[in-house]
Amino acid sequence: MRLLELLEYDPRIAGAASKAASGIGQAADKLKGPLPLTAKMQDMETYLAKFNKYANQKRAQEPDYSLSAAFADWAKGIGDKAGIDNFNLKVEPDKIVQNGKPNSKYVRGLISKMINDINAKAKADDKRAPKGGGSGIFKSRPEKF
């Protein structure tokens, strides 16, 4: 018995096959849209946009302003806001610009290291913070009211 003959004789199989085919079509439609970004990738895109804006502003004021200097200044400003003295990044001028264009892969790598440092500092700060949202002053001597 061929598959086509089986579908003609048993309406349950035909209905199940139809339902499976429509489910596959719906799943394919869902995949057509943009894939959601992870939190780190969202941070990466945000920081990249901020760096591009910063570099464009600096180059508008001073056209000869190097991209490596712009990145170093921008990273220092981000570190100051996050409470990090130094990201220990080695920004190499010959790698940040290749063939007269910014090297996106290299810049993304530097920003990724920055994000890791910022997240590690935030996690360390969370561990030092007292639990329960209080100031932690009265934990050693409970009062009876």
Side-chain angles (χ1 to χ4, degrees), residues 102-117:
N103 182 353
S104 178
K105 184 178 179 181
Y106 183 73
V107 172
R108 286 178 183 271
L110 293 172
I111 291 175
S112 178
K113 290 177 185 176
M114 290 172 56
I115 291 170
N116 290 342
D117 288 351

Side-chain angles (χ1 to χ4, degrees), residues 40 43-53 55 67-72 74-75 89-98 101-115:
K40 185 172 181 178
D43 289 344
M44 175 76 69
E45 294 302 319
T46 300
Y47 281 123
L48 231 113
K50 288 180 180 180
F51 170 63
N52 284 335
K53 183 178 177 183
L67 203 56
S68 59
F71 188 87
W74 174 77
L89 298 175
K90 295 178 178 79
V91 181
E92 299 180 34
D94 58 330
K95 287 187 178 179
I96 202 165
V97 176
Q98 288 184 337
K101 296 180 182 177
N103 182 353
S104 178
K105 184 178 179 181
Y106 183 73
V107 172
R108 286 178 183 271
L110 293 172
I111 291 175
S112 178
K113 290 177 185 176
M114 290 172 56
I115 291 170

Side-chain angles (χ1 to χ4, degrees), residues 30-92:
K30 288 181 182 175
L31 288 176
K32 287 181 184 176
L35 295 175
L37 296 176
T38 63
K40 185 172 181 178
M41 291 304 295
Q42 289 174 353
D43 289 344
M44 175 76 69
E45 294 302 319
T46 300
Y47 281 123
L48 231 113
K50 288 180 180 180
F51 170 63
N52 284 335
K53 183 178 177 183
Y54 180 84
N56 288 334
Q57 287 174 347
K58 286 294 185 178
R59 286 193 149 181
Q61 295 169 357
E62 188 179 332
D64 293 335
Y65 197 72
S66 75
L67 203 56
S68 59
F71 188 87
D73 293 344
W74 174 77
K76 177 150 178 36
I78 296 293
D80 291 344
K81 287 180 186 175
I84 298 173
D85 293 332
N86 189 353
F87 285 112
N88 291 324
L89 298 175
K90 295 178 178 79
V91 181
E92 299 180 34

Side-chain angles (χ1 to χ4, degrees), residues 21-34:
S22 74
I24 291 170
Q26 290 172 355
D29 285 341
K30 288 181 182 175
L31 288 176
K32 287 181 184 176

Side-chain angles (χ1 to χ4, degrees), residues 1-15 17:
M1 185 178 272
R2 292 186 220 176
L3 181 61
L4 188 58
E5 291 172 351
L6 181 64
L7 294 176
E8 287 177 3
Y9 290 119
D10 193 351
R12 292 178 298 164
I13 293 176

